[in-house]
């Protein structure tokens, strides 16, 4: 539906009020999310329960009337579908069996073998496509290959993605095979989400900023370009948002190099820099600092207005520069949305 504000912005339209949604908008800062997660039992059980995953996706839409809902899932479901063991340690985050050798890689499944595991995710998308309000855009997503690979290689999140950088240097062949498998598998995963009802897809490259020089081109830009090119060959009208977080100067030209319809910006850059260097090429998304959802007050109002003003001359989707944190105050989110919509 061309009248949906998110789709209009992604099509390059400059709107008087930017559409808004938040990364991790279904999350622990909401009491209704915490209740549903407790009902599911644990995080992975919530991801794989279509009814409950749809419910937590819908909760922030009911509460705030965001212009988009993003599928509730996790970027590490794809490596799990490829055969990696995945579990979550309370208070510490995800753990994966590591893939660091040719023998480890040989144990992984192919891109065509992921759908049995991921079928509940597609079912969640189907439920959402039926239950979301008509004006709300449904966003599907996946992790970008580099970021997902960093978890597969280290077995967990790391501050500097050191294990992945080490494998890239020491065994380029195995590293490249992991990236290539994730690239083709991500195409299949996102294609199924679109077939189930996703209207937009987003690629999260949370650790893109640690890739420097040619590595940024080879492992952030090129896999994203391949994924977008194939998705657009299959679904010519599909808009794609790319988020190479903390890319810095790498944001410049990212639209053109990858074919992304929108580039999401983190809050390590100013809105003015983003407008001058990135928005000139197309729609941007961002980039209020998430800490304002914790601290609130006049600073939240002022900075929200600042972001809106800086991006007002081009296509813009309002969002945070990263995901909302569990310690955020739901009332501050309401204040942000009110400020965007009412000035």
């Amino acid at each position: 539906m061309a009248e949906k504000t998110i789709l209009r912005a992604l099509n390059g339209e400059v709107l008087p009020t930017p559409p808004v949604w938040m990364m991790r908008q279904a999350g622990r800062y909401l009491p209704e999310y915490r209740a549903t997660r407790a009902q599911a039992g644990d995080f992975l059980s919530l991801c794989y329960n279509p009814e409950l995953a749809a419910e937590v996706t819908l909760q922030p839409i009911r509460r705030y009337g965001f212009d988009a809902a993003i599928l509730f899932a996790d970027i590490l479901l794809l490596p799990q579908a490829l055969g990696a063991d995945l579990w979550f340690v309370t208070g510490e985050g995800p753990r994966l069996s590591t893939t660091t050798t040719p023998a480890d890689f040989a144990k992984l499944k192919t891109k065509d073998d992921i759908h049995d595991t991921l079928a509940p995710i597609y079912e969640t998308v189907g439920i959402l496509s039926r239950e979301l309000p008509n004006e709300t855009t449904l966003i599907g997503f996946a992790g970008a290959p580099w970021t997902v690979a960093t978890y597969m290689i280290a077995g967990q999140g790391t501050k500097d993605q050191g294990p992945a950088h080490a494998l890239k240097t020491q065994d380029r062949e195995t590293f490249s095979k992991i990236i290539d498998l994730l690239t083709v598998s991500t195409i299949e995963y996102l294609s199924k989400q679109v077939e189930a009802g996703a209207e937009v897809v987003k690629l999260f490259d949370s650790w893109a900023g640690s890739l420097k020089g040619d590595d940024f081109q080879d492992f952030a830009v090129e896999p994203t370009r391949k994924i977008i090119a194939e998705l657009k060959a299959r679904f010519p009208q599909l808009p794609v948002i790319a988020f190479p977080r903390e890319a810095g100067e790498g944001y410049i030209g990212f639209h053109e190099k990858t074919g992304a319809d929108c580039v999401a910006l983190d809050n390590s850059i100013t809105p003015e820099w983003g407008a001058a260097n990135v928005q000139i090429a197309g729609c941007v998304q961002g980039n209020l600092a998430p800490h304002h959802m914790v601290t609130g007050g006049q600073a939240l109002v002022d900075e929200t207005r600042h972001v809106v003003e800086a991006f007002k001359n081009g296509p813009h989707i309002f969002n945070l520069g990263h995901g909302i944190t569990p310690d955020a105050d739901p009332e501050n989110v309401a204040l942000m949305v009110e400020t965007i919509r009412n000035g």
Side-chain angles (χ1 to χ4, degrees):
M1 293 168 60
E3 61 265 32
K4 292 186 178 185
T5 53
I6 294 268
L7 299 182
R8 289 168 63 188
L10 288 167
N11 199 37
E13 193 173 335
V14 182
L15 300 169
T17 299
V20 56
W21 67 279
M22 290 190 315
M23 291 180 279
R24 297 197 192 126
Q25 63 189 26
R28 284 176 286 168
Y29 74 102
L30 289 177
E32 57 266 43
Y33 170 88
R34 295 194 297 271
T36 307
R37 177 165 167 167
Q39 183 183 346
D42 59 59
F43 178 74
L44 282 176
S45 297
L46 179 54
C47 289
Y48 285 117
N49 183 314
E51 289 76 21
L52 296 184
E55 167 59 22
V56 294
T57 304
L58 290 163
Q59 286 168 351
I61 306 304
R62 295 189 198 113
R63 187 185 268 256
Y64 301 113
F66 286 125
D67 296 292
I70 186 164
L71 164 70
F72 182 81
D74 191 88
I75 64 169
L76 300 183
L77 303 185
L78 181 58
Q80 185 178 36
L82 286 166
D85 293 329
L86 173 64
W87 65 101
F88 281 76
V89 178
T90 303
E92 295 183 21
R95 297 290 187 270
L96 283 161
S97 55
T98 55
T99 303
T100 58
T101 67
D104 294 336
F105 182 80
K107 295 176 189 173
L108 296 176
K109 300 175 183 177
T110 72
K111 65 180 175 62
D112 299 317
D113 297 324
I114 61 175
H115 301 304
D116 285 348
T117 300
L118 296 171
I121 311 307
Y122 313 142
E123 190 178 336
T124 303
V125 175
I127 294 171
L128 291 167
S129 69
R130 295 188 297 271
E131 295 194 4
L132 277 170
N134 289 334
E135 68 274 14
T136 310
T137 301
L138 176 54
I139 303 174
F141 78 95
W146 158 251
T147 289
V148 177
T150 66
Y151 288 94
M152 292 179 72
I153 292 163
Q156 61 185 39
T158 54
K159 286 187 176 180
D160 59 0
Q161 296 76 59
H165 285 292
L167 185 67
K168 172 165 55 68
T169 301
Q170 295 159 11
D171 186 353
R172 191 83 162 193
E173 183 179 0
T174 298
F175 176 81
S176 296
K177 284 181 176 179
I178 294 170
I179 294 289
D180 291 346
L181 176 61
L182 288 170
T183 300
V184 295
S185 300
T186 300
I187 291 166
E188 301 309 318
Y189 181 35
L190 290 176
S191 292
K192 289 288 189 185
Q193 292 184 33
V194 174
E195 289 166 5
E199 300 165 278
V200 176
V201 296
K202 181 172 178 179
L203 280 168
F204 285 85
D205 211 350
S206 302
W207 302 126
S210 74
L211 290 167
K212 305 301 180 188
D214 290 344
D215 283 346
F216 184 81
Q217 172 65 35
D218 293 344
F219 302 119
V221 172
E222 189 57 20
T224 298
R225 185 197 66 76
K226 287 178 179 174
I227 291 166
I228 293 174
E230 182 57 31
L231 287 173
K232 287 183 175 288
R234 297 180 185 188
F235 312 102
Q237 302 306 310
L238 177 70
V240 182
I241 304 169
F243 184 32
R245 189 170 77 91
E246 296 190 349
E249 295 288 327
Y251 278 125
I252 300 172
F254 206 81
H255 286 93
E256 299 94 330
K257 291 174 183 175
T258 63
D261 299 277
C262 179
V263 175
L265 305 173
D266 67 82
N267 51 280
S268 69
I269 61 167
T270 66
E272 289 79 10
W273 187 93
N277 292 284
V278 190
Q279 193 183 33
I280 54 169
C283 184
V284 293
Q285 180 181 284
N287 72 334
L288 183 70
H291 72 79
H292 288 293
M293 298 298 96
V294 180
T295 55
Q298 190 60 41
L300 162 61
V301 172
D302 292 345
E303 192 57 29
T304 298
R305 289 172 175 162
H306 171 210
V307 172
V308 171
E309 177 70 19
F311 289 121
K312 70 177 182 180
N313 294 321
H316 176 222
I317 298 168
F318 195 101
N319 207 308
L320 305 182
H322 198 211
I324 187 168
T325 53
D327 56 342
D329 183 342
E331 292 303 314
N332 291 334
V333 179
L335 179 58
M336 176 192 74
V337 173
E338 180 187 352
T339 302
I340 294 164
R341 292 182 173 160
N342 300 318

